Amino acid sequence: MSLPHAILTALLEKPSSGLELTRRFDKSIGYFWSATHQQIYRELGKLEAAEYIRALPPQQPTRGQKKSYEVLPAGRAELARWTAASQDPKPLRDTMLLRLRAAAVVGTEGIEADLRRHLELHRLQLAEYEEIQERDFPPERNTPEDRLRHLVLRAGIDLETFWTQWLTHALTEFEEPPGHDGL
C-alpha cells in the first residue's frame, strides 16, 4: 500500500510526469522504496481513478505529449491520513541471512566471495549517501522539512554503516581455522 503514498509524496513535492517520477524515484525515494516504470504508471492510473491526482492541462496542444500530474485535496488528505496512522515495524527479510543459515547446513561454497561483494556494494552505497549528505544538507539547511529529509538520509547512512560493520565481522568468521573454538 505504500507505493501510492510514495507517489503522492513525490507529486506534492513537485507535479511531474510518469517519466519524471521514475527518474526522481531513482534519485531519492528509490533509495528506500523502489518501483519500476510500469508500477509507477499503473499506480498513476489508479490514483487518477480514485481522484487523488489529476493530469494537468498541457502547456501547448501537441500529439504524444507526456501528462504531468498534481495532487488533489483528496490525495493530500489520504497522504495525511496514512502518515498519521500507526504501523508496526516489518520483520527483517534478508536473503543473505537466509543463505548463511542454509550454508550452516549445506556448506559455505561461494558464500565468502558473495559476502565480500555485498560488503563492497554497501561501502559504495554508504559513500554515495555521505556524498548526498555533504552536498544537500549543510548546517544552514535547518527547516523542519529539511530535518525530516535529512533524517531519512541518516537512516540510510546508519543502515549502510551497520551492514558494512556486520559484513566485516561476518568475514572474520571465515578466517577462523576449522574447529577453532576461540580459546
Side-chain angles (χ1 to χ4, degrees):
M1 185 64 176
S2 296
L3 179 56
H5 299 100
I7 291 171
L8 288 170
T9 300
L11 289 175
L12 278 169
E13 290 174 342
K14 180 183 176 194
S16 304
S17 68
L19 181 58
E20 291 165 338
L21 278 173
T22 300
R23 289 181 182 147
R24 288 176 54 212
F25 261 68
D26 289 343
K27 295 179 182 172
S28 62
I29 291 174
Y31 285 121
F32 56 90
W33 197 267
S34 62
T36 66
H37 187 73
Q38 293 85 1
Q39 288 171 317
I40 289 172
Y41 273 95
R42 193 170 35 248
E43 211 52 57
L44 284 169
K46 291 177 186 176
L47 289 167
E48 192 172 24
E51 298 184 352
Y52 286 163
I53 64 171
R54 73 174 176 128
L56 293 169
Q59 303 285 37
Q60 50 193 344
T62 58
R63 216 167 158 225
Q65 183 172 347
K66 59 186 176 186
K67 288 186 196 178
S68 285
Y69 296 90
E70 71 177 354
V71 177
L72 296 170
R76 180 180 280 276
E78 168 54 22
L79 186 59
R81 180 209 60 76
W82 179 78
T83 301
S86 176
Q87 293 185 353
D88 293 335
K90 299 287 183 216
L92 177 62
R93 290 178 55 160
D94 187 273
T95 306
M96 178 56 78
L97 297 177
L98 181 58
R99 290 176 58 219
L100 283 172
R101 184 69 185 256
V105 178
V106 298
T108 61
E109 175 98 21
I111 200 91
E112 183 178 359
D114 206 34
L115 284 169
R116 291 187 191 289
R117 187 179 71 82
H118 276 242
L119 177 58
E120 182 58 25
L121 292 171
H122 284 288
R123 284 180 175 156
L124 289 170
Q125 190 63 65
L126 176 59
E128 185 175 346
Y129 286 163
E130 288 172 338
E131 182 181 307
I132 291 169
Q133 178 175 250
E134 181 74 24
R135 180 191 67 220
D136 293 347
F137 294 100
E140 61 273 10
R141 273 192 81 177
N142 199 25
T143 67
E145 295 83 6
D146 287 332
R147 289 196 310 268
L148 288 174
R149 287 183 185 102
H150 191 203
L151 189 61
V152 172
L153 178 61
R154 280 296 323 169
I157 290 170
D158 292 347
L159 283 169
E160 294 303 329
T161 299
F162 162 78
W163 282 115
T164 57
Q165 291 172 349
W166 183 85
L167 285 159
T168 300
H169 173 77
L171 285 164
T172 64
E173 294 298 318
F174 286 87
E175 294 170 6
E176 294 292 325
H180 185 267
D181 61 5
L183 296 175

